[in-house]
Amino acid sequence: MRLSRVPLWISSFVVIFYLSGSLQAQRFELHPYAGGVLSPSNIGPGEFPSALKSQGIFGIRGDVLVTRNLELGGNFAYLDDFELDSTDLKNRAYLWEATGSYRFNLEKVKPFVSVGVGGITLDPDDRLFVTPLPIPLLEPETFFTVSYGGGLKVPTLWGPVGLRADIRGRTLPDFLGEATTWLEATGGITLTF
């Protein structure tokens, strides 16, 4: 994905949040975050040519509370060192998805479970050849992704500022010819409007 396309995705999320918020006139939350991605190949021996190396992830989530427990939202993230186990080439990746969360309303802490569907766009800095498979990736390509997991948030710790932590699995059912799954652990602040 070229940088000129990034504002289109951000604009799309803003429109979705605005429409959802105007329907219910409920709470809107933004969650800037940072964290890490851990591929299963980093836990044991790497057998898959498209296994992702561990790396950092940075992004922003937004949620609109549409009922007392249900939140709808979106996620946009950036991975600046998207690297596969079988290569030494560094590439950028842009992750975007629509999410739904069910939160449990305890007094201060709000545990939640979440699912999401979207895509990850790989933008190669150089020609990417995955070995042993001769698959050239010469231009940006988008792959379907599904995420699932949960976390905790304290939405109003200091006025409208709180904290949020997520742990989720992410699966790409057809990434360069095979299914790939990784674990994301992220944390950051919550801004409530």
Side-chain angles (χ1 to χ4, degrees), residues 32-73:
Y33 66 88
V37 170
L38 180 65
S39 175
S41 68
N42 298 112
I43 298 170
E47 298 176 8
F48 303 106
S50 64
L52 185 67
K53 292 183 181 178
S54 293
Q55 61 187 282
I57 184 171
F58 310 93
I60 188 164
R61 290 185 178 94
D63 292 312
V64 173
L65 190 63
V66 293
T67 69
R68 187 174 189 281
N69 299 91
L70 180 64
E71 294 177 326
L72 298 178

Side-chain angles (χ1 to χ4, degrees), residues 129-143:
F129 287 92
V130 179
T131 57
L133 303 174
I135 302 172
L137 186 59
L138 306 174
E139 59 185 45
E141 189 167 344
T142 301
F143 302 93

Side-chain angles (χ1 to χ4, degrees), residues 87-101:
T87 71
D88 288 327
L89 300 175
K90 295 181 178 166
N91 303 280
R92 295 177 300 272
Y94 304 95
L95 174 70
W96 43 272
E97 68 181 335
T99 60
S101 299

Side-chain angles (χ1 to χ4, degrees), residues 1 9 33 37 50 52 55-57 75-84 91-98 117-124 137 139-147 170-176 180 182 184:
M1 176 185 281
W9 287 107
Y33 66 88
V37 170
S50 64
L52 185 67
Q55 61 187 282
I57 184 171
N75 178 21
F76 179 81
Y78 175 70
L79 296 91
D80 69 343
D81 190 14
F82 193 91
E83 197 173 341
L84 305 177
N91 303 280
R92 295 177 300 272
Y94 304 95
L95 174 70
W96 43 272
E97 68 181 335
V117 294
I120 186 164
T121 301
L122 183 60
D123 189 6
L137 186 59
E139 59 185 45
E141 189 167 344
T142 301
F143 302 93
F144 177 71
T145 178
V146 177
S147 69
R170 184 167 305 280
T171 299
L172 287 73
D174 185 18
F175 181 67
L176 302 176
T180 299
W182 69 68
E184 291 175 16

Side-chain angles (χ1 to χ4, degrees), residues 63 99-102 112-116 147-151 164 166 168:
D63 292 312
T99 60
S101 299
Y102 183 87
F112 62 91
V113 293
S114 181
V115 296
S147 69
Y148 38 87
R164 174 177 169 145
D166 285 73
R168 65 182 63 226

